[in-house]
Each structure stands twice: as C-alpha cells, then as structure tokens.
Amino acid sequence: MPLLKSDYREAVQEMFDDPLAQRWTATKLDKMMSMVYDSLWSEILDTNSYWNSQYQQISIPLRVPGYIDTRLIADGGDLNKRVYRIQQVIAAGRHFFHKDPRDYLMFASTNTGDLTTVRASNQTQFSYQFLGDQPWLHPLGPVTTFLELRYSYRPTKYISLGDSSSVEFPEGCEDVFVLYSAARAMTKGAVEDANVLFGQAGEAKRSMLNAIRRRSHGMMQPFGTDSSASWGGT
C-alpha cells in the first residue's frame, strides 16, 4: 500500500532528528521534499521511458494552426498529467512520428497575425515537431477526428497533495525519497555533516534504478556517451 504524504514527512523528520518540526516547518519541508520528488521522478523516467504511461484523447479542434499545449489543463493547457516525454501520437487513424524541428522552415503567408496561414516549407506527412512545449502536427491544419496521445508523466507535485493522499513512488523504494529528503534537510545552514545520509541515499537509489531497468526494453536507438557539441553538433 502506498505511503501517505504525512507518512513521508514524519519519516524524514525522524531521519534527521526533527520530530517536533523545530528546524523545518512542515510547509517549508514539504516545498523542499517536492523538489526532491520531482528530481527523483525525472531520473526514474530517464532510466525507463515507459515506467508509466498516460493515455489521453485530445478534443478537436487543436490549437491553431495545429498543435497541442502540453501544459496541464489547470494551467491553460491540454493535458491531464504533467508530461515528461511523448510516447505516441495518433491522429485520423495514423501514427505520427517525431521529427527534428531543424528540418522545417515555419512561415506565415500574411502579416496580420492570423495563425491559420502558418505553414512549413517541408511538411513531412504524419509527423510532429516540438516547438518549446508544443508538439506541432504536420501537415498543419485541422484534424478531422480526435487525437490520441500517450506520454510518460511526473505524478502530482508532492506539495500539492493533502496529508492523507497516497504518494506515487516505485513500490519497495520509498526509502530513496526519505533518505534524499532527510539529507537535503540536514544540509540547512551547513551546520551538520549529511554525507552519511547522502551515501545511504545513493546506494538506495542505485538499487531502485537497477530494478527499474529490469522492466525496461532498453534504448530505442544507440547513443554516444559524449555530448553532440563535442563533435560539432548543436
């Protein structure tokens, strides 16, 4: 059974010996733990891009001239969850593939601010490109049926949960979140040595990521270990 938000906070307070919240108020501790939570989830989803998957249907019409706003609906976007990586895009019964945005030249045929006139010089059929946090579907224009989207996501922010809410985290690895949060909390003011806690947290995280890799199908394509800039890329 998943631990509750209050369970995690109490475990962290006990771990760095502050059960009465004298060094960190509950509100400030929750803010710090929320940052640790998001950081750990990013590592989880980088290790296994299909560790979780949200299926969502996007209603038509799409955003003019033909894109999805990947922000949360509550923030003015189109999605139900906090997207981390797009896994699949299907529209009009066809699979759309991700393309390099440098392959397209976007331009408008009018100078009136009318986005419906925006076009791409080389619109690869049934593809999409990312411009900021917006996937633009090509060819641009109205999608005549609903759009299906599948994506990995970071769960609801820890700080946004109620104390009695369950916290989504890999089962059996809850100590990773607790140890890293406690280690971060102990570094406040640099008055105590948190290296022991960081060491324990690192060992626990390595075990967690190894378990997550076992459920992964591996990388979709080979990658070099250096950066593209080191051999002249961008």
Side-chain angles (χ1 to χ4, degrees):
M1 180 177 179
L3 295 181
L4 306 180
K5 177 182 179 180
S6 57
D7 295 330
Y8 276 106
R9 186 195 304 121
E10 290 170 5
V12 170
Q13 289 170 328
E14 290 288 345
M15 187 65 68
F16 74 97
D17 197 23
D18 188 30
L20 299 180
Q22 295 178 330
R23 297 171 59 186
W24 285 79
T25 64
T27 300
K28 291 182 177 179
L29 184 61
D30 283 351
K31 289 180 180 178
M32 184 274 294
M33 291 178 64
S34 191
M35 290 185 282
V36 173
Y37 185 68
D38 275 2
S39 178
L40 290 172
W41 264 106
S42 294
E43 291 194 61
I44 290 168
L45 297 175
D46 283 341
T47 301
N48 184 345
S49 58
Y50 283 84
W51 180 256
N52 61 24
S53 189
Q54 170 72 12
Y55 173 81
Q56 184 177 340
Q57 295 181 356
I58 307 295
S59 300
I60 57 172
L62 300 181
R63 309 275 176 148
V64 176
Y67 70 87
I68 307 164
D69 190 330
T70 57
R71 295 176 299 166
L72 289 172
I73 292 175
D75 297 329
D78 297 321
L79 301 188
N80 295 327
K81 292 184 179 292
R82 298 192 298 150
V83 63
Y84 191 75
R85 181 180 288 110
I86 298 293
Q87 298 168 334
Q88 190 175 52
V89 178
I90 297 176
R94 293 183 178 272
H95 189 180
F96 281 59
F97 294 91
H98 187 198
K99 296 293 184 179
D100 191 326
R102 293 172 295 183
D103 293 339
Y104 302 88
L105 173 62
M106 307 293 291
F107 65 94
S109 59
T110 69
N111 191 27
T112 61
D114 182 5
L115 294 180
T116 61
T117 69
V118 174
R119 293 290 181 268
S121 59
N122 179 24
Q123 298 193 101
T124 304
Q125 290 285 323
F126 312 119
S127 65
Y128 68 93
Q129 63 172 140
F130 263 101
L131 296 176
D133 59 358
Q134 302 168 352
W136 288 50
L137 277 64
H138 294 284
L140 294 174
V143 174
T144 57
T145 62
F146 63 89
L147 183 142
E148 298 171 273
L149 194 65
R150 187 172 287 283
Y151 55 93
S152 61
Y153 62 91
R154 286 185 295 188
T156 302
K157 283 181 174 290
Y158 176 84
I159 196 171
S160 300
L161 298 170
D163 278 3
S164 59
S165 298
S166 297
V167 178
E168 188 173 343
F169 205 73
E171 185 178 0
C173 303
E174 294 84 358
D175 59 333
V176 179
F177 182 30
V178 172
L179 287 166
Y180 265 113
S181 297
R184 291 278 186 90
M186 189 173 285
T187 61
K188 181 179 181 181
V191 296
E192 291 191 73
D193 184 359
N195 286 333
V196 172
L197 276 180
F198 275 119
Q200 293 175 345
E203 288 294 329
K205 185 175 72 173
R206 278 189 286 274
S207 296
M208 177 185 74
L209 295 182
N210 284 336
I212 287 170
R213 287 188 188 97
R214 286 195 290 272
R215 208 175 82 178
S216 172
H217 53 65
M219 294 187 296
M220 299 294 289
Q221 62 188 65
F223 290 96
T225 55
D226 55 352
S227 69
S228 59
S230 66
W231 43 266
T234 57

